[in-house]
């Protein structure tokens, strides 16, 4: 059985307790993990605080920080295959996806390596003749980062990259479901030569490890990716220290298809948008809103494509859809499909968990036209698409915005003016027009409403890991007059 360690203050440690990780493709235990609780969390945060103020990290120039980040990027690229295999083994995300995604993760580190010495302060044109006033940008402090199981190397890179560029130190909690890739990534941080305590990586369970981290009095900022209910716990705990938060949460993203769209192209985007990562994607285009005149045609193209998907072992390069990450997730998806069918939704394809080992669930499409189905409002985080239809553009927009979430959205149409109206009208942090699921380190990403707040990616994300300090310098040599002498 493979054994993993946590990384605290530059050392690899066994953790306060141990737990076992399960291979979702078989349901068998495959690795032994370190479990951090309050004491490990406290050690890690203290190490991060020492590194922030006392260690060599605080004395590095921004350019030197950037160079370390470039080194880390190169190490991620060189070890992408190994990291991908670990992620696939521990989470069930297929190897095709993990290898492509982790190779791209290196570019996120490169992007933030370049940003490190471009975070500038400013000089203020102050309204007083004998004063010079500047704003310094300093690291915000110790950052806590909590990530879910899916795409942990990616979801942590969009936090670690900007935080390091800004000069912060940090404690990252990998998900207890599939922590292997992030714990292995710690070895690359070490090899890159980051001083002890700058990056600490541990894992453990939400209520013990995650909560201890969120409420730690030395944490200045919490970057969280996960579900809205957990986000509420985090925000409550952040109140302890009045830490700032950035929250990247779930979604129920609309995927709108007009009759004038290239239906074949839209169908490919829809299949990728909902079935990639077995639907365990925050941006999953899980609500298809299709113009009524093409609904039947579009559904038959989708059904055909869904049936042709190769379901199989995640480490097999030919596999297109693998298992869900946990039994809990498989049970949740199966129960929500059942509830939706019970409420009147019609199964177009899939819908039943297969016999055998592993946490598989087939690509599933539910026709929910005219039905108040829970599948239209609740997040599956699984390979299930819910379909409704519309007749007018206004109706399409109303349906798209009929959600408390607001993470992503897709619009497929050849009509330019309509595309512009929709990109303004849709209430979501990302609108993809005639494409879906495109991401880049250069483009900010984040949600509206229950999908959270704060943006990851782009230059502004690095600024979120800074705070300004205002410096006043009096330039006059005249003595300051005694304030109590009347003139
Ligand atoms: P989750 O919220 O249950 O867990 C996420 C992380 O939070 C885990 O590391 C967990 O241990 C930790 N956690 C749990 N309870 C905690 C607590 N009380 N205090 C501190 N930490 C705690 O999410 P999940 O089920 O693992 O992941 C799925 C969710 O993540 C979905 O809702 C999905 O949409 C969302 N997600 C969002 C994005 C995005 O960028 N917006 C990306 C991926 C996933």
């Amino acid at each position: 059985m493979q054994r993993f360690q946590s990384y605290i203050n530059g050392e690899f440690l066994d953790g306060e307790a141990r737990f076992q990780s399960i291979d979702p493709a078989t349901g068998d235990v495959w690795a032994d993990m370190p479990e951090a609780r309050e004491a490990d969390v406290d050690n890690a945060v203290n190490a991060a605080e020492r590194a922030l103020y006392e260690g060599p990290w605080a004395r590095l120039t921004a350019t030197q920080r950037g160079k370390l980040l470039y080194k880390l990027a190169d190490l991620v690229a060189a070890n992408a295959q190994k990291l991908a295999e670990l992620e696939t083994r521990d989470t069930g995300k297929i190897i095709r996806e993990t290898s492509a995604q982790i190779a791209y993760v290196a570019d996120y580190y490169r992007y933030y390596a370049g940003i490190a010495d471009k975070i500038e302060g400013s000089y203020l044109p102050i309204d007083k003749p004998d004063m010079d006033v500047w704003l310094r940008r300093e690291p915000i402090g110790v950052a806590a980062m909590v990530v879910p199981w899916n795409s942990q190397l990616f979801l942590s890179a969009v936090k670690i990259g900007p935080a390091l560029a800004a000069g912060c130190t940090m404690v990252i909690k990998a998900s207890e479901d599939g922590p292997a890739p992030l714990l292995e990534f710690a070895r690359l941080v070490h090899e890159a030569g980051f001083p002890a305590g700058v990056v600490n990586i541990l894992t453990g369970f939400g209520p013990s490890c995650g909560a201890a981290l969120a409420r730690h009095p030395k944490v200045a900022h919490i970057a969280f990716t996960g579900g809205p209910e957990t986000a509420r716990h985090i925000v409550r705990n952040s109140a302890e220290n009045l830490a700032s938060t950035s929250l990247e949460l779930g979604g129920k993203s609309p995927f709108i298809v007009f009759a004038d769209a290239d239906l074949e192209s839209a169908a490919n985007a829809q299949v990728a948008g909902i079935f990639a990562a077995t639907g365990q994607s925050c941006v999953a285009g899980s609500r298809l809103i299709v113009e009524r005149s093409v609904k039947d045609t579009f559904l038959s193209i989708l059904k055909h494509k869904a049936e042709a998907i190769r379901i199989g072992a995640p480490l097999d390069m030919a596999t297109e859809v693998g298992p869900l990450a946990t039994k809990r997730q498989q049970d949740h998806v199966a129960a929500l499909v059942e509830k939706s069918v019970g409420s009147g939704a019609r199964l177009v394809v899939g819908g039943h968990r297969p016999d055998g080992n592993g946490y598989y669930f087939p690509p599933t499409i539910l026709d929910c036209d005219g039905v108040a189905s829970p599948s239209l409002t609740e997040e599956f985080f699984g390979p299930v698409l819910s379909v409704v239809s519309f007749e007018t553009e206004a109706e399409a927009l109303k349906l798209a915005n009929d959600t408390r979430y607001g993470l992503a959205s897709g619009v497929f149409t050849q009509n330019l003016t309509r595309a512009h109206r929709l990109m303004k009208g849709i209430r979501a942090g990302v609108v993809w027009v005639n494409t879906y699921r495109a991401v880049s380190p250069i483009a900010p990403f984040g949600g509206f409403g229950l999908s959270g707040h704060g943006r990851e990616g782009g230059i502004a994300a690095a600024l979120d890991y800074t705070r300004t300090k205002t410096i006043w310098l009096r330039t006059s040599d005249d003595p300051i007059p005694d304030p109590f002498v009347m003139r």
Side-chain angles (χ1 to χ4, degrees):
M1 201 185 322
Q2 283 210 40
R3 201 178 154 78
F4 290 82
Q5 290 178 301
S6 51
Y7 183 59
I8 298 174
N9 199 26
E11 288 182 73
F12 292 93
L13 304 169
D14 280 340
E16 289 171 87
R18 308 283 306 174
F19 68 97
Q20 295 183 321
S21 207
I22 293 182
D23 179 344
T26 59
D28 298 332
V29 168
W30 82 280
D32 188 51
M33 300 295 174
E35 184 196 337
R37 296 180 184 166
E38 191 123 17
D40 273 349
V41 168
D42 193 46
N43 287 339
V45 177
N46 283 322
E49 196 199 45
R50 280 195 306 278
L52 181 69
Y53 295 117
E54 297 162 24
W57 179 246
R59 292 189 292 275
L60 292 187
T61 63
T63 309
Q64 286 170 320
R65 285 204 306 272
K67 283 183 179 162
L68 282 174
L69 267 161
Y70 277 121
K71 212 160 163 188
L72 181 60
D74 288 346
L75 285 166
V76 169
N79 289 275
Q81 196 53 31
K82 181 176 185 196
L83 293 169
E85 279 168 23
L86 282 176
E87 182 166 355
T88 294
R89 190 77 204 274
D90 214 11
T91 68
K93 187 172 167 126
I94 60 173
I95 191 75
R96 271 195 201 194
E97 289 170 351
T98 53
S99 15
Q101 191 176 53
I102 295 169
Y104 199 30
V105 160
D107 281 355
Y108 276 75
Y109 283 109
R110 280 195 193 103
Y111 175 78
Y112 284 108
I115 299 273
D117 57 8
K118 287 152 202 85
I119 297 173
E120 298 173 353
S122 55
Y123 177 81
L124 306 186
I126 208 75
D127 57 343
K128 304 188 191 313
D130 58 351
M131 293 286 180
D132 273 352
V133 180
W134 295 272
L135 282 188
R136 275 173 58 78
R137 271 203 184 268
E138 300 186 350
I140 197 168
V142 173
M145 298 163 182
V146 178
V147 291
W149 77 79
N150 60 309
S151 313
Q152 289 196 66
L153 288 174
F154 177 77
L155 296 173
S156 55
V158 294
K159 299 171 177 56
I160 298 170
L164 287 173
C168 288
T169 60
M170 61 216 66
V171 178
I172 301 126
K173 185 191 110 49
S175 172
E176 62 274 39
D177 298 317
L182 209 34
L183 296 176
E184 182 65 23
F185 165 81
R187 303 207 166 265
L188 307 183
V189 171
H190 194 73
E191 196 181 331
F194 284 90
V198 173
V199 180
N200 303 276
I201 302 181
L202 38 75
T203 186
F205 296 90
S208 48
C209 178
L213 183 56
R215 66 168 177 259
H216 198 288
K218 290 181 178 170
V219 163
H221 179 77
I222 307 170
F224 170 70
T225 300
E229 205 38 56
T230 313
R232 291 188 182 99
H233 283 288
I234 299 238
V235 170
R236 275 183 216 114
N237 277 326
S238 75
E240 200 60 41
N241 193 32
L242 302 180
S244 54
T245 54
S246 105
L247 307 171
E248 300 291 347
L249 312 177
K252 198 73 211 177
S253 300
F255 189 107
I256 309 174
V257 177
F258 284 90
D260 67 356
D262 175 339
L263 294 186
E264 181 64 26
S265 169
N268 283 336
Q270 175 69 92
V271 165
I274 185 65
F275 300 136
T278 318
Q280 299 162 106
S281 163
C282 53
V283 295
S286 54
R287 285 187 300 138
L288 168 62
I289 299 170
V290 58
E291 192 161 346
R292 199 155 301 151
S293 59
V294 292
K295 179 185 166 192
D296 289 346
T297 314
F298 195 62
L299 273 193
S300 91
I301 301 174
L302 281 181
K303 180 172 188 282
H304 184 72
K305 288 182 187 289
E307 283 168 346
I309 286 173
R310 279 190 298 261
I311 302 170
L315 276 165
D316 183 345
M317 261 321 248
T319 295
E320 292 167 335
V321 165
L324 291 155
T326 60
K327 171 90 170 56
R328 185 180 78 244
Q329 196 59 18
Q330 188 196 34
D331 290 344
H332 161 72
V333 171
L336 191 48
V337 167
E338 206 179 306
K339 198 163 113 187
S340 304
V341 170
S343 73
R346 187 179 64 82
L347 265 180
V348 177
V349 66
H352 305 285
R353 89 174 89 186
D355 295 333
N357 295 335
Y359 310 139
Y360 289 90
F361 201 89
T364 296
I365 300 177
L366 287 168
D367 184 349
C368 303
D369 244 348
V371 180
S373 169
S375 69
L376 289 168
T377 50
E378 291 176 37
E379 192 184 31
F380 279 94
F381 217 56
V384 184
L385 176 67
S386 305
V387 185
V388 287
S389 65
F390 65 89
E391 272 185 356
T392 64
E393 181 185 313
E395 213 184 322
L397 184 60
K398 191 159 179 275
L399 286 165
N401 286 334
D402 187 18
T403 173
R404 293 189 71 196
Y405 289 107
L407 189 56
S409 57
V411 177
F412 283 76
T413 179
Q414 305 286 347
N415 181 326
L416 189 64
T417 52
R418 174 156 64 200
H420 274 267
R421 285 191 297 275
L422 283 159
M423 69 179 86
K424 277 188 233 158
I426 290 175
R427 294 196 289 270
V430 182
V431 182
W432 284 301
V433 181
N434 293 330
T435 184
Y436 204 80
R437 257 178 151 248
V439 291
S440 160
I442 301 159
F445 174 85
F448 290 13
L450 283 195
S451 294
H453 56 73
R455 295 292 176 264
E456 293 185 327
I459 297 171
L463 299 184
D464 285 349
Y465 285 93
T466 67
R467 55 187 170 190
T468 59
K469 182 182 278 175
T470 310
I471 313 290
W472 288 80
L473 187 146
R474 184 166 174 262
T475 53
S476 167
D477 286 334
D478 297 342
I480 296 176
D482 183 337
F484 299 112
V485 175
M486 300 296 285
R487 265 163 242 280

